[in-house]
Amino acid sequence: MSKAATYDPNDVTMTVDSIYLTGFSEDMIEIEKAENNYETKVGAQGDVVRTKVNNPLATIKVTLLPSSPQVAYLDKLANSGKLVPVSVIHAGTPKETTTATEAYVVKPATRSYGNEAADREYEIQCLDIDMQ
């Protein structure tokens, strides 16, 4: 029996304010918490204490092709500062779900024009990340 797994990018979906994003570029999505879940401190005599860090902040970076229908929408959200729910779901194996009920697009994507189509990258600041 094979132990190899197959990853399919089509198993990944992302919604921003209930709008499904389409037209992902190669890098698609990256999710990173702002801090570790726990920090450790060692005292002068070797005593160790572990502290739970309750920071719920995270950043989601999403990379779209410039032809994605949602580019204009994300730019509009960035300019408005509106707080919106965000979700990223990987329906493959293992199933992973990342959600935030309050998030905002940090700024409009950088626009580059040249002899090749340039990706549009957005940073979404999540105020209450839940990674399952």
Side-chain angles (χ1 to χ4, degrees), residues 7-129:
Y7 167 75
D8 185 348
N10 286 325
D11 289 338
V12 178
T13 58
M14 181 171 180
T15 61
V16 176
D17 200 18
S18 301
I19 302 293
Y20 280 90
L21 300 188
T22 60
F24 291 102
S25 190
E26 289 180 6
D27 293 333
M28 289 183 63
I29 303 165
E30 177 182 299
I31 304 164
E32 182 176 9
K33 284 195 61 167
E35 289 186 275
N36 296 334
N37 289 338
Y38 295 89
E39 293 293 335
T40 307
K41 182 173 183 171
V42 179
Q45 295 180 329
D47 297 320
V48 178
V49 64
R50 183 176 82 149
T51 304
K52 184 174 185 336
V53 178
N54 294 303
N55 184 344
L57 299 180
T59 301
I60 298 175
K61 291 182 184 176
V62 59
T63 307
L64 301 176
L65 295 169
S67 58
S68 168
Q70 287 74 44
V71 164
Y73 176 70
L74 292 178
D75 284 342
K76 182 179 173 184
L77 277 180
N79 289 328
S80 75
K82 180 181 177 185
L83 291 173
V84 296
V86 174
S87 74
V88 177
I89 297 172
H90 175 247
T93 303
K95 182 172 181 175
E96 296 175 322
T97 303
T98 303
T99 58
T101 61
E102 291 188 311
Y104 63 94
V105 181
V106 174
K107 64 180 180 178
T110 299
R111 298 177 183 180
S112 296
Y113 306 102
N115 64 348
E116 290 185 9
D119 291 340
R120 302 293 171 95
E121 184 177 286
Y122 294 91
E123 284 190 23
I124 299 173
Q125 179 69 59
C126 300
L127 305 181
D128 60 348
I129 198 78

